[in-house]
Amino acid sequence: MNREILNARRLLCPLPVIRTQDKVKQLQAGDQLEVICTDPGVMQDIPAWCRINGHKVLETISEDNEYIIILEVGEG
Amino acid sequence: MSTQRKAVALISGGLDSMLAAKTVMEQGIHVEGINFFTGFCVEGHTHAIRERDKTKLKRNNSLWVAEQLGIKLHIVDVIEEYKNVLINPKHGYGAHMNPCLDCKIFMVKKAKQWIAENGFDFIITGEVIGQRPMSQRKATMPIVAKESGADDLLLRPLCARNLRATLPEREGWVDREKLHDITGRSRKPQMAMAGQFGFNDYAQPAGGCCFLTDASYSSKLVDLWKARDDNKDYDLDDVMLLKVGRHIRPQQNFKLIVAREEGEGRFLQGYKKDFISMNSISHSGPLVLVDGSPSAEDLYLAASITARYGQGRDAGQVDISIMSKDGSERTIQVKPLLAEDMPQAWFI
């Protein structure tokens, strides 16, 4: 299992979703991705994107005006 | 055994594309959604920035629609490619800077490329004849199909029975009789159909889903191009900053972007390394970015305007901190500009 970090700070939705989507394409099923954002909209959008595309949100963290989503890549 | 046919639906996040996709899904076609991000999409951005919108649900409607339909959604960044559509629209602009017909042709063309690369059979859009004055007219429907290269692979399920049969209809992949014949600007047929499908909640964006249909935004874009000697190139930050703050251009060589509230101030903070910035330190007041090439005298004027938008607007003197792009800082004392000394023409 591989774990990677994606810096999506300062990007506004849907760009963090697009960057997440593009990064996930490079990963394997079971890999984890931590996406760090500053747009609170990601707390809604990235989990929605994960649900419709078969990925699993493991954790969402909101701290100091940053929003972190940790997801596990699904079979796709 | 018959082949499972696959279609990609252009999903804007509005009701029509949702209904178009659902209509085809009901016929057993495998449908996935595609959404193109041009940089001018209304979705989310200003809600994310402005403090006053914090109570609003920050959902992305295209993702939400895909989830309601139970389909995958592919969001494609077309910011770079879209520049040519906006700067050189073959079919011209609508009421503002909206190149709607060229935009539709561009998106269908991109969808055509996508289906070729991903082994899909045809394209679905939520277009309705007569729905929009520029891009959705009987005369423009064949133009979109032809100039995009999609030709008869482009199916408009909501008005298909008013148009010539497309390949998916002729081949029997979809039953034409189960498609629709909606025309005009009335939303009643779509609302009735939404009820039949059990869709009780859907986005109804006033004026569409694109900032380019907005008069104020379009004015700021035209102003930006003029200030750059008609060089129409732009980047995403240019596009974003036009959505934020009060834009004031006292002279051709510089303009001010004044945060209107806390959320915008926080957003503009992220640009302090790219612009000269100012704020009042003797009184509370907004963060202001100065775009362009202001002289020392211009900066004094900018500081007086900055003072005008703070709590010291009625004071005899206000201390304004001016920060350069390199982070160096100095303070000057100014008298706030009076409202009557700010011509309406300065406000973009």
Side-chain angles (χ1 to χ4, degrees):
Chain A
M1 189 272 287
N2 186 24
R3 179 163 172 146
E4 299 220 12
I5 293 176
L6 174 66
N7 179 357
R9 292 181 182 94
R10 273 190 67 186
L11 297 178
L12 297 178
C13 284
L15 282 171
V17 182
I18 295 173
R19 298 289 180 266
T20 301
Q21 173 188 265
D22 295 346
K23 186 72 189 171
V24 163
K25 276 183 194 161
Q26 301 165 14
L27 301 176
Q28 306 291 320
D31 286 350
Q32 293 184 4
L33 180 65
E34 178 178 334
V35 192
I36 308 172
C37 311
T38 47
D39 176 1
V42 298
M43 301 298 264
Q44 185 87 19
D45 292 353
I46 292 180
W49 179 83
C50 286
R51 286 194 297 273
I52 60 180
N53 289 288
H55 310 297
K56 187 176 174 187
V57 174
L58 300 177
E59 195 175 359
T60 58
I61 304 160
S62 168
E63 57 184 16
D64 301 330
N65 287 324
E66 289 202 339
Y67 304 89
I68 300 163
I69 293 168
I70 302 164
L71 63 92
E72 184 179 291
V73 178
E75 296 293 338
Chain B
M1 198 177 102
S2 64
T3 308
Q4 169 67 64
R5 294 294 168 182
K6 299 195 284 187
V8 71
L10 270 68
I11 299 291
S12 65
L15 178 60
D16 289 0
S17 54
M18 185 183 195
L19 294 173
K22 182 69 176 174
T23 297
V24 172
M25 290 168 71
E26 290 284 294
Q27 296 205 27
I29 304 292
H30 172 84
V31 176
E32 295 188 13
I34 195 163
N35 176 268
F36 297 104
F37 180 62
T38 63
F40 298 98
C41 308
V42 172
E43 287 294 326
H45 284 133
T46 46
H47 291 181
I49 297 167
R50 299 197 71 175
E51 193 73 18
R52 69 171 189 186
D53 290 331
K54 275 219 175 339
T55 52
K56 288 186 187 170
L57 187 63
K58 292 177 183 63
R59 81 179 182 202
N60 176 298
N61 282 310
S62 58
L63 282 168
W64 184 84
V65 162
E67 193 166 15
Q68 298 309 301
L69 293 170
I71 62 173
K72 286 189 175 182
L73 180 72
H74 309 275
I75 308 179
V76 185
D77 175 350
V78 292
I79 295 167
E80 279 302 313
E81 289 173 86
Y82 194 76
K83 286 181 184 177
N84 190 46
V85 178
L86 174 58
I87 296 170
N88 303 301
K90 179 181 169 188
H91 297 281
Y93 299 104
H96 304 295
M97 292 304 291
N98 46 312
C100 291
L101 183 51
D102 290 86
C103 181
K104 180 62 79 176
I105 292 166
F106 169 77
M107 289 186 179
V108 174
K109 188 176 185 174
K110 293 294 296 178
K112 171 81 185 335
Q113 288 170 6
W114 192 92
I115 63 168
E117 289 163 8
N118 291 277
F120 278 54
D121 299 296
F122 64 100
I123 302 159
I124 303 164
T125 68
E127 291 166 285
V128 168
I129 296 168
Q131 180 80 202
R132 297 220 180 255
M134 187 173 183
S135 59
Q136 296 187 37
R137 289 180 287 120
K138 182 110 185 175
T140 60
M141 296 278 170
I143 295 172
V144 173
K146 184 166 184 285
E147 294 191 12
S148 65
D151 294 314
D152 61 358
L153 295 180
L154 175 57
L155 178 68
R156 287 110 163 182
L158 300 188
C159 62
R161 277 162 46 200
N162 292 324
L163 297 167
R164 283 177 54 184
T166 59
L167 187 72
E169 295 161 273
R170 294 199 309 273
E171 292 292 319
W173 303 343
V174 297
D175 181 352
R176 181 174 169 88
E177 293 310 307
K178 291 179 181 167
L179 302 176
H180 306 286
D181 58 357
I182 303 174
T183 56
R185 296 183 70 98
S186 167
R187 306 292 296 155
K188 284 183 183 167
Q190 287 94 321
M191 288 159 81
M193 205 188 300
Q196 286 162 15
F197 285 137
F199 299 144
N200 300 315
D201 180 15
Y202 42 84
Q204 301 188 75
C209 54
C210 175
F211 268 108
L212 296 170
T213 61
D214 180 80
S216 167
Y217 187 89
S218 292
S219 300
K220 290 175 193 161
L221 181 63
V222 171
D223 168 78
L224 181 81
W225 286 344
K226 274 188 191 161
R228 293 177 177 178
D229 298 325
D230 279 333
N231 175 2
K232 295 183 176 176
D233 196 14
Y234 60 84
D235 59 28
L236 183 62
D237 284 330
D238 291 328
V239 167
M240 296 302 303
L241 284 168
L242 296 182
K243 300 174 186 175
V244 183
R246 186 178 277 114
H247 290 235
I248 301 167
R249 183 177 295 286
Q251 286 167 204
Q252 174 78 2
N253 60 317
F254 76 102
K255 76 168 176 181
L256 286 75
I257 305 173
V258 184
R260 289 171 293 190
E261 40 94 290
E262 207 181 325
E264 289 193 339
R266 268 200 304 277
F267 181 75
L268 295 181
Q269 286 279 349
Y271 289 90
K272 283 172 80 172
K273 285 183 182 162
D274 305 311
F275 295 89
I276 297 169
S277 59
M278 6 183 112
N279 63 286
S280 166
I281 51 174
S282 56
H283 303 75
S284 62
L287 177 66
V288 174
L289 301 184
V290 184
D291 181 22
S293 311
S295 65
E297 198 179 330
D298 295 335
L299 283 179
Y300 188 86
L301 174 60
S304 322
I305 296 170
T306 300
R308 144 125 214 99
Y309 284 97
Q311 292 300 314
R313 66 178 65 88
D314 298 321
Q317 183 174 289
V318 173
D319 296 344
I320 298 290
S321 166
I322 304 176
M323 188 182 279
S324 306
K325 293 178 199 176
D326 63 9
S328 61
E329 211 168 344
R330 65 196 169 96
T331 302
I332 62 171
Q333 284 78 42
V334 294
K335 184 171 170 26
L337 208 62
L338 299 172
E340 55 265 35
D341 291 334
M342 293 186 65
Q344 199 53 42
W346 287 8
F347 294 88
I348 309 163

